[in-house]
Amino acid sequence: MKLLDADAIVRSKNAGPFRFTLDVIFNDRKQFERMKASGVWNREYLCQLCHVEDVQVDECVFYEPALAFKFTYQRPLSSGAFGDNDIYGSQQHVSLYGLEF
């Protein structure tokens, strides 16, 4: 199953002016457990997908009570700086849609 077809909220946003956070919040426990068991949702793979280095990652965690996954990493430029192309951080999650689990 691709994330695009899952029963989930997929979003990205600023986590302050110097970080992006990507959230995947499932509405279905079976899909959440399937996603966890797939092994795809790991720091190394997501670094490649998001074009960031491991040292730039602040969080890569599953949050069971909310059936959620969070990936937070440092922005290349602070929000609103000259050259910033996503001031609200709302376009960073698109690369996750093709993930299969």
Side-chain angles (χ1 to χ4, degrees), residues 6 10 18 27 38 51 55-56 58 66 68 73 77 80 88 90 92 94:
V10 183
F18 304 108
N27 293 309
S38 73
H51 307 288
V55 296
Q56 295 172 289
D58 295 322
Y73 59 94
L77 298 169
Y88 299 111
S90 61
Q92 304 305 306
V94 175

Side-chain angles (χ1 to χ4, degrees), residues 79-98:
S79 177
F82 183 76
D84 179 25
N85 61 3
D86 190 2
I87 195 166
Y88 299 111
S90 61
Q91 300 173 38
Q92 304 305 306
H93 66 285
V94 175
S95 58
L96 299 180
Y97 283 136

Side-chain angles (χ1 to χ4, degrees), residues 11 23 27 29 33-34 37 42 57 64 68 70-71 77 80 85 101:
R11 67 182 183 198
D23 299 319
N27 293 309
R29 177 164 288 283
E33 295 297 337
R34 182 176 172 180
N42 65 68
V57 176
E64 295 276 343
K70 180 181 283 285
F71 186 67
L77 298 169
N85 61 3
F101 61 95

Side-chain angles (χ1 to χ4, degrees), residues 35-43 45-46 99-101:
M35 180 265 297
K36 275 182 49 182
S38 73
V40 173
W41 299 82
N42 65 68
R43 188 179 186 115
Y45 183 66
L46 291 170
L99 282 176
E100 294 190 34
F101 61 95

Side-chain angles (χ1 to χ4, degrees), residues 4-75:
L4 183 62
D5 301 320
D7 184 13
I9 297 166
V10 183
R11 67 182 183 198
S12 61
K13 59 186 176 183
N14 286 338
F18 304 108
R19 291 177 181 77
F20 290 126
T21 191
L22 286 66
D23 299 319
V24 180
I25 306 160
F26 284 85
N27 293 309
D28 181 286
R29 177 164 288 283
K30 288 181 184 178
Q31 288 182 1
F32 174 73
E33 295 297 337
R34 182 176 172 180
M35 180 265 297
K36 275 182 49 182
S38 73
V40 173
W41 299 82
N42 65 68
R43 188 179 186 115
E44 182 181 349
Y45 183 66
L46 291 170
C47 282
Q48 291 175 9
L49 192 63
C50 296
H51 307 288
V52 297
E53 295 181 27
D54 188 70
V55 296
Q56 295 172 289
V57 176
D58 295 322
E59 277 187 306
C60 184
V61 297
F62 294 100
Y63 186 62
E64 295 276 343
L67 303 178
F69 175 80
K70 180 181 283 285
F71 186 67
T72 303
Y73 59 94
Q74 297 168 17
R75 296 174 60 107

